[in-house]
C-alpha cells in the first residue's frame, strides 16, 4: 500500500513538472497563433518592392535550400511572413510584371508581347495609387528592356526611372549603390521604391563572374565555354541606344545570340546543369549581399528600417531541365510559375509561414490594405491581410491561374493542376497532375481522371469568361521588327 502511494506521488510529481513546463511556455506559443492586427497599421510606411527576375524559391535558404545563398533575405523573413505556395500570373517577364503592378491577370490587361503591347493609362497601377496617396515613387531597372523598363505604359506612376545597368551587358550590380543613394536623399518623405534586377536570370550567367563559395563549384572548362559566349555577346551586340533601329539590332544580333545560347543550354548533361545552378546560387548570393543587404544597411543608417515594408518576389521561375530545357515562358510547370513571396513587416517579433495559395496579383491589394489605402475596384487579386493576421477564416484563394506564351493557360489548387495549350500543333494539348503524389509533374492523368479534369477545365473557362479585357485595341509591332522576330515573340514571349 505504501509502495503504491509512493508510485502515485511520483506520477503526480512528473505530471506537475510537465504541466509547469507547458504553462511556462504557453504564452509564447499562444502569441504565435493568436490573430494579429495588421490592416491599416502601416499607414504612411515606406514601401520597397524587389523583383528578382526568374528566381525560384527553392534556391533560397529561408525556403529550405541547403546552400546558404540568402542570409539577408532570411533575416527579413525572420521578422516577416513567407508564403510557401505563391505563384506568378505569367511564366515570362512582360505580363508577369504588368500583373504585379496592376493586380490584373495577363488575360485581362493583355500586355504580353514586347515591342507591341501597351498598358493603357486608365488602368490604376500600384505606383499611380501610391503617388496619389503622397508617396514619392521611383523605379530601378533596365530602361532598355522591352519586357519591363521600355515597355509602353509599364512604369506608369513612377516619378523617376533609374538605370541599374546597360541591358546589352547586364552588368547591373554597380547600380545598387545608386539605390542606396536615392534612399539617403529621399528619406524625409514616404516613398515607394521598386527594384527589378536581372542578376538571377539565366541569360546573364555568361556575363557575371563572382569568386565565392558557390562559383567555385564550376569547372574551369565550363567557365571557358561561358567566356566564349560572353565575348561573342560583348563584341557583336551594340548598346540599345538608338530607338529607331533598336528592333533591327535585336533581330540581327540579339536574337542570333539568344538562339545560339539556347542551343548551348540544350546540350547540358546533369553535371553541366549542376554547375549552371551553382552560377544561379552565386548570383543569388551577390544580389542578397549587394542589393538586399545594401538596402537594409541604408535603411538602418537612416532610421527607416522600422518604418519600411519590404516585399521580395520574382516575376516568374525557371526550368533547369526538370522537363527537358533551361527556359521559361513555354510551360506552366511549378518550376516556372512558383515564386518567392516574402513580406518584411516592421514590428513582428518572429517570422511566420503561410501555406495558403497566393498570387502575384495579390501584392497590390494586400499592400494597400496594410497601408490603409482604398483598393481599386478593378483589382483581381485577393487582400491576404487576413491570412497575414492569422484569422480563423480569412478570405483565401481556392484556385490560382497562370498564363504562358502561345496561348497556354493553367488552373491550380493545392492538390491539382490542369494545363491547357492553345496550340493545336502540339501533340499534348491538356495535362492534369495530382501534385500531392506527383509534385514533379511527371504523370499526366488526362484520360484517367476525367471528372477532375472536366471540373478544372470548366473553372478555367469560367475564369476566362469573367475577366474584363482592358487592352482591346490591336496595335502593330514597332518599326523594324521583322517577321522572324515577330514569330519568336509570339511563340516564346521573347525576341
Amino acid at each position: 500500500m505504501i509502495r503504491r502511494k509512493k508510485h502515485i506521488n511520483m506520477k503526480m510529481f512528473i505530471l506537475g513538472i510537465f504541466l509547469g513546463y507547458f504553462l511556462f511556455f504557453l504564452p509564447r506559443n499562444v502569441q504565435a497563433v493568436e490573430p494579429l492586427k495588421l490592416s491599416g497599421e502601416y499607414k504612411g510606411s515606406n514601401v520597397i518592392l524587389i523583383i528578382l527576375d526568374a528566381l525560384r524559391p527553392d534556391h533560397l535558404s529561408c525556403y529550405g535550400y541547403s546552400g546558404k545563398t540568402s542570409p539577408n533575405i532570411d533575416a527579413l523573413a525572420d521578422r516577416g511572413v513567407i508564403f510557401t505556395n505563391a505563384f506568378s500570373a505569367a511564366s515570362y517577364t512582360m505580363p508577369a510584371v504588368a500583373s504585379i503592378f496592376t493586380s490584373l491577370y495577363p488575360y485581362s490587361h493583355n500586355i504580353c508581347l514586347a515591342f507591341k503591347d501597351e498598358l493603357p493609362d486608365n488602368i490604376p497601377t500600384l505606383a499611380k495609387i501610391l503617388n496619389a496617396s503622397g508617396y514619392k515613387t521611383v523605379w530601378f531597372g533596365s530602361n532598355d528592356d522591352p519586357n519591363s523598363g521600355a515597355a509602353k505604359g509599364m512604369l506608369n506612376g513612377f516619378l523617376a526611372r533609374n538605370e541599374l545597368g546597360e541591358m546589352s551587358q547586364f552588368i547591373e550590380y554597380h547600380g545598387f549603390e545608386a539605390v542606396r543613394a536615392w534612399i539617403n536623399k529621399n528619406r524625409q518623405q514616404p516613398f515607394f521604391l521598386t527594384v527589378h534586377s536581372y542578376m538571377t536570370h539565366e541569360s546573364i550567367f555568361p556575363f557575371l563572374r563572382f569568386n565565392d563559395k558557390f562559383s567555385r563549384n564550376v569547372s574551369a572548362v565550363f567557365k571557358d565555354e561561358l567566356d566564349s559566349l560572353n565575348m561573342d555577346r560583348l563584341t557583336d551586340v551594340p548598346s540599345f541606344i538608338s530607338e529607331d533601329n533598336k528592333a533591327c539590332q535585336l533581330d540581327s544580333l540579339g536574337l542570333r545570340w539568344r538562339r545560339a545560347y539556347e542551343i548551348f543550354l540544350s546540350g547540358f548533361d546533369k553535371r553541366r546543369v549542376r554547375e549552371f545552378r551553382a552560377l544561379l546560387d552565386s548570383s543569388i548570393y551577390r544580389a542578397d549581399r549587394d542589393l538586399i543587404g545594401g538596402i537594409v544597411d541604408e535603411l538602418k543608417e537612416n532610421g527607416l528600417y522600422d518604418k519600411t515594408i519590404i516585399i521580395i518576389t520574382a516575376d516568374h521561375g525557371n526550368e533547369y531541365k526538370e522537363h527537358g530545357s533551361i527556359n521559361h515562358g513555354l510551360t506552366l510547370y511549378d518550376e516556372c510559375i512558383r515564386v518567392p513571396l516574402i513580406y518584411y513587416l516592421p514590428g513582428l517579433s518572429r517570422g511566420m509561414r503561410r501555406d495558403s495559395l497566393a498570387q502575384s496579383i495579390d501584392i497590390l491589394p494586400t499592400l494597400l490594405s496594410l497601408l490603409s489605402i482604398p483598393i481599386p475596384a478593378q483589382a483581381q487579386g485577393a487582400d491576404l491581410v487576413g491570412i497575414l493576421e492569422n484569422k480563423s477564416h480569412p478570405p483565401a484563394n481556392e484556385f490560382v491561374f497562370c498564363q504562358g506564351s502561345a496561348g497556354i493557360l493553367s488552373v491550380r489548387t493545392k492538390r491539382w493542376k490542369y494545363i491547357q495549350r492553345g496550340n493545336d500543333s502540339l501533340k499534348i494539348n491538356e495535362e492534369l497532375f495530382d501534385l500531392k503524389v506527383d509534385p514533379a509533374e511527371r504523370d499526366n492523368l488526362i484520360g484517367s481522371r476525367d471528372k477532375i479534369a472536366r471540373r478544372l477545365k470548366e473553372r478555367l473557362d469560367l475564369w476566362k469568361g469573367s475577366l474584363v479585357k482592358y487592352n482591346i485595341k490591336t496595335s502593330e509591332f514597332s518599326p523594324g521588327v521583322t517577321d522572324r522576330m515577330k514569330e519568336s515573340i509570339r511563340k516564346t514571349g521573347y525576341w
Side-chain angles (χ1 to χ4, degrees), residues 185-427:
K185 184 179 179 180
N186 296 275
R187 61 186 182 274
Q188 302 298 333
Q189 178 182 349
F191 61 78
F192 170 51
L193 184 153
T194 294
V195 180
H196 183 167
S197 171
Y198 272 89
M199 279 192 70
T200 50
H201 193 286
E202 85 284 351
S203 64
I204 60 97
F205 294 167
F207 305 91
L208 299 182
R209 287 294 177 274
F210 299 129
N211 182 20
D212 55 44
K213 58 185 177 181
F214 302 105
S215 59
R216 294 185 195 116
N217 295 325
V218 181
S219 67
V221 173
F222 189 43
K223 288 179 180 177
D224 288 342
E225 294 172 356
L226 290 169
D227 283 338
S228 175
L229 287 166
N230 184 18
M231 290 302 297
D232 289 344
R233 171 69 167 183
L234 293 179
T235 55
D236 284 350
V237 179
S239 62
F240 304 173
I241 296 176
S242 172
E243 191 68 32
D244 294 333
N245 63 4
K246 177 190 294 184
C248 294
Q249 291 176 355
L250 284 168
D251 187 44
S252 62
L253 295 169
L255 179 58
R256 187 176 68 195
W257 181 87
R258 182 181 292 276
R259 288 178 174 172
Y261 190 45
E262 288 174 354
I263 293 172
F264 172 70
L265 296 178
S266 67
F268 280 9
D269 57 16
K270 290 183 179 180
R271 178 182 174 183
R272 280 289 186 263
V273 172
R274 285 197 302 271
E275 291 186 288
F276 200 65
R277 291 177 77 150
L279 291 175
L280 169 63
D281 291 342
S282 178
S283 294
I284 294 172
Y285 184 71
R286 285 308 175 103
D288 179 88
R289 187 191 75 177
D290 297 341
L291 175 60
I292 311 296
I295 286 175
V296 170
D297 287 345
E298 194 65 38
L299 292 175
K300 289 181 177 178
E301 288 174 13
N302 285 282
L304 300 176
Y305 185 62
D306 292 324
K307 302 174 183 178
T308 304
I309 295 173
I310 302 175
I311 303 171
I312 299 174
T313 190
D315 51 348
H316 52 75
N318 200 58
E319 178 188 340
Y320 289 92
K321 286 283 190 174
E322 288 87 354
H323 287 89
S325 68
I326 298 179
N327 213 329
H328 52 267
L330 294 170
T331 70
L332 295 177
Y333 302 118
D334 272 9
E335 60 263 19
C336 287
I337 65 172
R338 188 189 293 271
V339 294
L341 182 56
I342 300 168
Y343 290 81
Y344 161 72
L345 301 174
L348 291 188
S349 59
R350 61 181 62 215
M352 298 179 288
R353 305 178 77 86
R354 299 288 183 263
D355 66 353
S356 304
L357 291 175
Q359 304 176 89
S360 58
I361 61 170
D362 300 334
I363 291 174
L364 183 151
T366 302
L367 176 62
L368 294 183
S369 181
L370 290 168
L371 299 174
S372 193
I373 296 174
I375 300 169
Q378 298 98 319
Q380 294 168 348
D383 174 3
L384 301 183
V385 168
I387 294 174
L388 295 176
E389 293 177 330
N390 205 35
K391 289 185 176 177
S392 55
H393 298 289
N397 294 305
E398 184 182 358
F399 303 93
V400 295
F401 302 90
C402 190
Q403 182 172 332
S405 60
I408 183 172
L409 298 169
S410 71
V411 55
R412 189 193 195 282
T413 67
K414 275 193 174 182
R415 177 169 180 178
W416 298 96
K417 181 192 285 185
Y418 171 79
I419 300 174
Q420 181 184 79
R421 288 184 171 85
N423 189 343
D424 293 333
S425 66
L426 295 173
K427 292 181 180 180

Side-chain angles (χ1 to χ4, degrees), residues 74-108:
D74 299 345
L76 292 174
D78 284 342
R79 289 186 57 192
V81 183
I82 295 179
F83 280 90
T84 58
N85 278 309
F87 298 89
S88 174
S91 59
Y92 62 106
T93 299
M94 190 174 187
V97 174
S99 289
I100 291 173
F101 288 162
T102 64
S103 188
L104 298 175
Y105 288 106
Y107 204 81
S108 196

Side-chain angles (χ1 to χ4, degrees), residues 5 28 34 49 63 93 105 154 156 158-159 181 204 217 260-261 267 272 276 304 308 312 317 341 407 432 435 494:
K5 196 170 185 179
R28 187 179 303 175
E34 281 181 348
L49 170 63
Y63 277 86
T93 299
Y105 288 106
M154 183 73 79
N156 285 346
F158 285 104
L159 298 176
I204 60 97
N217 295 325
Y261 190 45
R272 280 289 186 263
F276 200 65
L304 300 176
T308 304
I312 299 174
L341 182 56
L432 177 70
L435 302 169
Y494 297 99

Side-chain angles (χ1 to χ4, degrees), residues 104-109 361 378 380 401 403 460-470:
L104 298 175
Y105 288 106
Y107 204 81
S108 196
H109 64 59
I361 61 170
Q378 298 98 319
Q380 294 168 348
F401 302 90
Q403 182 172 332
L460 187 64
D461 291 340
L462 180 65
W463 168 77
K464 287 190 292 184
S466 68
L467 296 179
V468 176
K469 288 206 169 185
Y470 289 92

